[in-house]
Amino acid sequence: MSGIDVVQPVVAAAAKAARPWADKAAGDRAHALDAAAAALDAAAADLVPVAAAETRLPEGRLTGEVARTTGQLRMFAGVLRDGSYVDAVISQGDPAAGRADVRRMLVPIGPVAVFGASNFPFAFSVAGGDTASALAAGCPVVAKVHDGHPRTSEMVAAIVAGALTEAGAPPGVLGLVAGLEAGRALVQHPQIRAVGFTGSVAGGRALFDLAASRRDPIPFYGELGSLNPVVVLPGAARQRPAEIAAGYAASLTLGVGQFCTKPGLLLVPDDPGLLAEVADAVRASTGGPMLTERIRDLFEQAVGEPAWQRQPLLAEGSAADDTAAVPQVRTAVVAELTGTEATELTRERFGPAGLVVTYPTVADLLGVIPRLPGSLAGCLHAADDELADAAAVGAELRRIAGRLVMNGWPTGVAVNWAMQHGGPWPSSTSPEHTSVGMTAIRRWLSPVAYQDWPDQLLPPALQRANPLGINRTVQPF
Amino acid sequence: MSGIDVVQPVVAAAAKAARPWADKAAGDRAHALDAAAAALDAAAADLVPVAAAETRLPEGRLTGEVARTTGQLRMFAGVLRDGSYVDAVISQGDPAAGRADVRRMLVPIGPVAVFGASNFPFAFSVAGGDTASALAAGCPVVAKVHDGHPRTSEMVAAIVAGALTEAGAPPGVLGLVAGLEAGRALVQHPQIRAVGFTGSVAGGRALFDLAASRRDPIPFYGELGSLNPVVVLPGAARQRPAEIAAGYAASLTLGVGQFCTKPGLLLVPDDPGLLAEVADAVRASTGGPMLTERIRDLFEQAVGEPAWQRQPLLAEGSAADDTAAVPQVRTAVVAELTGTEATELTRERFGPAGLVVTYPTVADLLGVIPRLPGSLAGCLHAADDELADAAAVGAELRRIAGRLVMNGWPTGVAVNWAMQHGGPWPSSTSPEHTSVGMTAIRRWLSPVAYQDWPDQLLPPALQRANPLGINRTVQPF
């Protein structure tokens, strides 16, 4: 079947579900999301071995990821019960003064497409954060199966769609399509109103271009690649070199380096003590099998490039067998990050590879941070007595990264209301949005304003008596 | 000079201004916006005649438009003084439970480009709503001169830039470039981080495509064309035909039909009484000179198209002389809006042309509304005893229009916090945003989250004591 033949019935079902799903009370959608979470939790023991076989990820990690996934669904159920996510703004009218009464809120945008990532078969896939936030918003979802975990995708879709409809959602509220051509047809389908994507820069860019070149362009919310620089200030390097080295090696090699938040760049003072600790920690680290053969090939290619190979090797880790990817860390000096090969040195290498860059002074560091590519996260390790430098580095990091972490590591994105997962290009395609955290729901909502509309015809969120008891912004006079 | 030569020094100055402007306290930016508003008000008597000569718009209308423009600047000053626009979300940490403390807020995106419209030489131009909201957000603006009012643009830029810098803004916070090639270079300039645009579908689409095809795509917030359907329900048609007819003709011909909110489509019951009143009101209306020769030519072309000419003429207005555009209203039946020429019949014709479409029953009406193109506004005229039909029509209109008006007309967009000016394609390129109202500021802001960040290094908006006293969302546990 051609892409459009695969996609057509699934999108048609989503389009049919769009109005009943949007028209449900937020509390009813919350109930359905909770039911989906419960069903996934109940099926975890069945799902995890399938995902483990497909992705080569360890079962312990995958069990945790199912919990993360259901945590996301429940978080958005909580956002719906709170109800203030509709972002109501009210400018009260005054007929005597000829002033119109205007009441604005967010409403669902319509059926959306979700493309999950290879590296999170649950939390950023069929029932991951994009799907949870879109369903919460009131938008049916057509998910594209990731070819790295097709069986897992099908099982999750069946479980979640079943639980949703049993909880009162219309059929078609979550659909699934598979295949590259189906993915392309999905982004171009007239009834699809927005796209969520997590994956590579190359894949995301290709779909972004399709979305932008439609007769009616639609928003494309892509989370692509990320370098995630980590800065160690001199005081921290002196104070706790072993702790920093261990934390770095653990974050770099977590999940065989296959996280979009992997610390790809470590900026350290030219401190032999710290460098020796980092080398030791990396040597003590182990690699492992990568998600797919293709990802393994891309990793070998990325670390085989001349621009990378030319950099001195600081240390390598070990691996259980020949099929495993081996952690490797190379070094550079800060001046190289402004040289001709800067772009090559600072691009994401998906897998357990890292670059450690030494800087002579904090001033040198400050000059180079603005030239780094946009990232999901930037981290800073500082001692208590170097807050002035910390403030200066933080001000620079803020301009290139969406999340700033003090004395911590970029991996391990907490699921909470305030989380920001996004940043300047190439980390995100839409710098005004996030794919994690409560405001991720905004991607699937459009504002509408009611002017001089009779109170009894207004949505409850906008009625004068505020029957939902939500937070609203009321224009002060 | 080539486009990039024109643009380079102006963007460089904006880029230099970006950090000091972003780092100013919101109250200081508010002070500068108020100063710009006061300076424009003080210069209104000088500006209006220049704009009148360039645009052929009447002085009374232009004087009102200056007041609207300064009202917008002051509204965003008020948004800054309120301070809650940073949309702070806080998930409190708990080290004992291993829970990170995450605090998220919006920060300025960087220098932006603004392309104003021909039809609002003040309110949607150099110092219009896009500029006011971007400056409020903390983003320097490089405005592209509209060739329909170059002198006005230069005068406004000089007055506003002067007032801003005198009030403490860094030089370069508002710059100006002119020429088609400069406009293209501006959208492609690496240091420009977003674009605001108000204008035609063709012009907007060309610039949108440039923004999307950059190596690092940037958001393009375009407000393009709009049909703005107005529905008259049978009860309203019976109850107040003369009032509706007069309101329609006035809204259609306001500013010689040169508003993006012009009611391009009037849907009425097949009621000879109302149609006769509408015909009378149109015959009593007068046209006038259009903004530019080119716009006049495009209008003549649009009303000369066979698809338009084939429709029966309901009435024409009059015009003072041969250079004026003459109001004309043609008719169709509702079935034609789903026929082969529907696209032609329902596209925007910029100028005093309108289509009146008769429907046999409300059910026929409900079937056709979802097939109309996306609009900035949709209006509904209903009698008190037809609220059920009003609710049904409102539910359909909500899906194709960003603002719904009861018993009113789409022209005359109020400047207030709750206003929504945007809608599905082609009325906007970004369905999750608005170009008027307080949330217009969001287009120029990116979220950033601080994780486990020391309180004294946090921006005041996120500090534990909430020293700014703003509204914040705190995650409930």
Side-chain angles (χ1 to χ4, degrees):
Chain A
M1 282 206 289
S2 75
I4 185 65
D5 292 336
V6 171
V7 160
Q8 186 53 40
V10 187
V11 175
K16 202 172 162 199
R19 187 167 305 194
W21 186 238
D23 287 348
K24 273 199 181 300
D28 292 339
R29 288 206 301 274
H31 169 68
L33 292 183
D34 278 342
L40 273 181
D41 275 339
D46 296 333
L47 289 165
V48 164
V50 175
E54 288 189 315
T55 63
R56 316 183 205 190
L57 290 170
E59 297 209 352
R61 139 79 199 270
L62 290 168
T63 300
E65 196 186 319
V66 172
R68 177 195 180 86
T69 307
T70 60
Q72 288 176 158
L73 287 161
R74 291 191 180 97
M75 185 188 88
F76 282 107
V79 169
L80 291 176
R81 291 204 174 90
D82 172 82
S84 305
Y85 76 96
V86 297
D87 202 27
V89 184
I90 293 171
S91 292
Q92 289 165 336
D94 181 353
R99 199 166 64 207
D101 184 274
V102 182
R103 291 160 185 266
R104 173 258 197 211
M105 68 178 288
L106 300 176
V107 298
I109 201 171
V112 304
V114 168
F115 290 73
S118 60
N119 58 344
F120 278 98
F122 298 112
F124 286 84
S125 191
V126 171
D130 282 351
T131 295
S133 55
L135 289 175
C139 300
V141 171
V142 179
K144 153 76 169 59
V145 170
H146 196 286
D147 59 13
H149 48 269
R151 272 292 292 143
T152 309
S153 298
E154 283 155 22
M155 288 174 73
V156 168
I159 291 164
V160 171
L164 289 170
T165 48
E166 200 171 316
V173 78
L174 176 62
L176 204 63
V177 300
L180 188 68
E181 283 312 307
R184 295 171 54 91
L186 192 57
V187 172
Q188 296 174 288
H189 195 288
Q191 288 181 293
I192 291 294
R193 303 318 310 155
V195 181
F197 173 91
T198 310
S200 69
V201 175
R205 179 74 205 222
L207 292 175
F208 170 89
D209 288 344
L210 280 184
S213 63
R214 288 168 58 119
R215 224 177 123 264
D216 57 336
I218 57 174
F220 183 89
Y221 305 115
E223 191 241 280
L224 313 183
S226 186
L227 182 64
N228 310 307
V230 177
V231 170
V232 181
L233 286 180
R238 276 192 305 274
Q239 226 171 53
R240 40 180 202 272
E243 180 193 324
I244 288 170
Y248 169 66
S251 184
L252 181 76
T253 61
L254 189 70
V256 199
Q258 299 169 115
F259 286 110
C260 50
T261 50
K262 183 196 78 176
L265 180 67
L266 184 71
L267 289 148
V268 299
D270 198 354
D271 175 324
L274 176 63
L275 284 171
E277 293 276 7
V278 170
D280 284 348
V282 171
R283 273 190 288 271
S285 73
T286 52
M290 296 192 79
L291 291 156
T292 66
E293 289 301 323
R294 182 174 146 74
I295 288 172
R296 170 68 198 262
D297 290 347
L298 288 171
F299 175 68
E300 294 302 334
Q301 198 179 308
V303 296
E305 285 168 4
W308 182 255
Q309 286 284 329
R310 268 197 292 276
Q311 301 305 127
L313 185 71
L314 179 68
E316 283 188 303
S318 61
D321 59 64
D322 282 359
T323 67
V326 180
Q328 70 167 268
V329 171
R330 294 184 179 269
T331 63
V333 296
V334 78
E336 291 176 273
L337 295 187
T338 55
T340 51
E341 295 206 324
T343 305
E344 274 310 298
L345 288 179
T346 59
R347 76 173 181 77
E348 184 188 32
R349 285 176 168 76
F350 195 74
L355 188 68
V356 175
V357 170
T358 54
Y359 63 84
T361 70
V362 173
D364 297 305
L365 179 64
L366 292 174
V368 83
I369 296 174
R371 311 180 67 151
L372 297 176
S375 279
L376 296 168
C379 302
L380 177 55
H381 292 265
D384 289 344
D385 61 356
E386 52 189 349
L387 286 188
D389 280 346
V393 172
E396 300 300 332
L397 282 177
R398 198 209 80 181
R399 285 168 168 85
I400 61 150
R403 178 170 56 107
L404 307 180
V405 183
M406 181 62 80
N407 294 326
W409 300 94
T411 46
V413 178
V415 174
N416 62 37
W417 284 34
M419 183 49 68
Q420 167 63 20
H421 195 60
W425 179 272
S427 64
S428 300
T429 57
S430 286
E432 81 277 32
H433 289 289
T434 177
S435 67
V436 182
M438 74 166 287
T439 57
I441 199 172
R442 296 248 179 92
R443 298 173 297 164
W444 321 112
L445 297 165
S446 280
V448 63
Y450 292 85
Q451 181 171 328
D452 294 332
W453 211 254
D455 205 53
Q456 66 270 42
L457 295 190
L458 283 171
L462 296 180
Q463 288 174 5
R464 281 158 186 79
N466 192 10
L468 304 179
I470 58 175
N471 293 330
R472 314 196 291 191
T473 299
V474 179
Q475 182 173 27
F477 293 106
Chain B
M1 282 205 290
S2 74
I4 186 65
D5 291 337
V6 171
V7 160
Q8 186 54 40
V10 186
V11 175
K16 200 171 164 200
R19 188 166 303 196
W21 185 239
D23 287 349
K24 272 200 183 300
D28 292 339
R29 288 206 301 274
H31 168 68
L33 292 183
D34 278 342
L40 273 181
D41 276 338
D46 296 333
L47 289 165
V48 164
V50 175
E54 288 189 315
T55 63
R56 315 183 206 189
L57 291 170
E59 297 209 351
R61 139 80 198 268
L62 290 167
T63 300
E65 195 186 318
V66 172
R68 178 194 179 87
T69 307
T70 60
Q72 288 176 156
L73 288 161
R74 291 191 179 97
M75 185 188 88
F76 282 108
V79 169
L80 291 175
R81 291 203 174 91
D82 172 81
S84 305
Y85 77 96
V86 298
D87 202 25
V89 184
I90 293 171
S91 291
Q92 290 166 336
D94 180 354
R99 198 166 63 209
D101 182 276
V102 182
R103 291 159 188 266
R104 173 258 197 212
M105 67 179 287
L106 300 176
V107 298
I109 201 171
V112 305
V114 168
F115 290 74
S118 60
N119 57 343
F120 278 99
F122 298 113
F124 285 86
S125 191
V126 171
D130 282 352
T131 295
S133 56
L135 289 174
C139 299
V141 171
V142 179
K144 153 77 169 56
V145 170
H146 195 286
D147 58 14
H149 48 268
R151 271 292 292 143
T152 309
S153 298
E154 283 156 21
M155 286 173 75
V156 168
I159 291 164
V160 171
L164 289 170
T165 48
E166 199 172 317
V173 78
L174 176 63
L176 204 62
V177 299
L180 187 69
E181 283 312 307
R184 295 172 55 91
L186 191 57
V187 173
Q188 296 175 288
H189 195 289
Q191 289 181 292
I192 291 294
R193 302 317 311 154
V195 182
F197 174 91
T198 309
S200 69
V201 175
R205 179 75 205 222
L207 292 175
F208 170 89
D209 288 344
L210 280 183
S213 63
R214 287 168 59 119
R215 225 177 122 264
D216 57 336
I218 57 173
F220 183 89
Y221 304 115
E223 190 241 280
L224 314 182
S226 186
L227 182 64
N228 310 306
V230 176
V231 170
V232 181
L233 286 180
R238 276 192 305 273
Q239 224 169 55
R240 40 179 203 271
E243 181 192 325
I244 289 169
Y248 168 66
S251 184
L252 181 78
T253 61
L254 189 70
V256 199
Q258 298 168 114
F259 286 111
C260 49
T261 51
K262 182 197 77 176
L265 180 67
L266 184 71
L267 289 148
V268 298
D270 198 354
D271 174 324
L274 177 62
L275 285 171
E277 293 276 7
V278 170
D280 284 349
V282 171
R283 273 191 288 269
S285 73
T286 51
M290 295 193 78
L291 292 156
T292 66
E293 289 301 324
R294 180 174 147 74
I295 287 172
R296 169 68 199 262
D297 290 347
L298 288 172
F299 175 68
E300 295 302 336
Q301 198 178 306
V303 296
E305 285 169 4
W308 182 254
Q309 286 283 330
R310 267 197 293 276
Q311 301 306 126
L313 185 70
L314 180 68
E316 284 188 302
S318 61
D321 59 65
D322 282 358
T323 67
V326 179
Q328 69 167 268
V329 171
R330 294 183 179 269
T331 62
V333 295
V334 78
E336 292 177 273
L337 297 185
T338 55
T340 51
E341 295 206 324
T343 305
E344 275 309 299
L345 289 180
T346 59
R347 74 174 181 78
E348 184 189 31
R349 285 176 168 77
F350 195 73
L355 188 67
V356 175
V357 170
T358 54
Y359 63 84
T361 71
V362 172
D364 297 304
L365 179 65
L366 292 173
V368 83
I369 296 174
R371 310 180 69 152
L372 297 176
S375 280
L376 297 168
C379 302
L380 177 55
H381 292 264
D384 289 346
D385 62 356
E386 54 189 348
L387 286 187
D389 281 345
V393 172
E396 299 300 331
L397 283 176
R398 197 207 82 180
R399 285 166 170 87
I400 60 150
R403 178 170 57 106
L404 306 180
V405 184
M406 181 62 79
N407 293 327
W409 300 95
T411 47
V413 178
V415 173
N416 61 37
W417 284 35
M419 184 48 68
Q420 167 63 20
H421 195 60
W425 179 272
S427 64
S428 301
T429 58
S430 287
E432 80 277 32
H433 288 289
T434 177
S435 68
V436 182
M438 74 165 288
T439 57
I441 200 172
R442 295 250 180 90
R443 298 174 296 165
W444 321 111
L445 296 165
S446 281
V448 63
Y450 292 86
Q451 181 171 328
D452 294 332
W453 211 254
D455 205 54
Q456 66 269 43
L457 294 191
L458 283 171
L462 296 180
Q463 289 174 6
R464 280 159 186 77
N466 192 9
L468 304 180
I470 58 175
N471 293 330
R472 314 195 293 190
T473 299
V474 179
Q475 181 173 27
F477 294 108

